[in-house]
Amino acid sequence: MKSHWIAAAVTLSLGSGIAAEAFAQEKPENYIRFRKANQQVVSWHMRQLAPMVKGQQALDVAAATNAANVLAVLAPVFATGFPAGTDQGDTRARPEIWSQPDKYKQAMDRYIAESSKMLEAARSGNADNIRTQFGALSKTCSGCHDDFRKK
Ligand code: HEC
């Protein structure tokens, strides 16, 4: 008898685990705030790298690595901000995010990969690597915004 209850509890908790992946558990407006806050912090750290990439500021490998580390951490975190039901409200997310999930996932996967390569490039301390990788990462930003963010 007791084992039935345990089995039922396990089934229930597995079920809610799956639901958490597909549907917003937080209020949709909180997801939208979370997405914007994430991107604001990402944008801030891109702006810390930009003057070093453009040669307006001497390359400081420790500072560049710190900034790139934040970018590498926040990219996969951003990917968790788009559960079903978070497409309405004060958001610039386009409906294509949910109607073309495979295409969106590709854009997100590229972004995550290039963010992680940005961290490797910063750690290398090589100015050319850093500049090239900053360009590659920036392309994933504008590429995704063109297709999936409202103007
Ligand atoms: C895979 C898609 C994708 C990638 C890659 C991406 N973004 Fe975004 N970004 C979005 C979407 C979608 C929004 C709109 C979020 C919303 O309003 O809910 C957004 C919003 C923003 C905003 C506005 C935030 C606000 O306060 O409204 C900034 C700034 C931004 N992104 C910067 C960046 C930068 C810099 C990069 C690259 C380092 C980047 N994004 C990469 C999809 C992406």
Side-chain angles (χ1 to χ4, degrees), residues 35-36 39-40 78 91-92 111 140-141 144-145 149:
R35 297 199 295 246
K36 290 180 179 175
Q39 295 282 276
Q40 287 291 336
F78 185 53
T91 177
R92 285 163 73 193
Y111 170 51
T140 69
C141 313
C144 185
H145 292 161
R149 190 179 74 169

Side-chain angles (χ1 to χ4, degrees), residues 4-18:
H4 280 96
W5 284 109
I6 292 169
V10 167
T11 309
L12 270 176
S13 63
L14 282 177
S16 61
I18 291 161

Side-chain angles (χ1 to χ4, degrees), residues 9-10 16 63 65 71 77 79 81 91 94 101-103 106 134 139:
V10 167
S16 61
T65 303
L71 297 172
V77 171
T91 177
R94 293 173 77 119
D102 293 345
K103 192 179 167 200
Q106 274 177 19
F134 185 86
K139 268 193 195 156

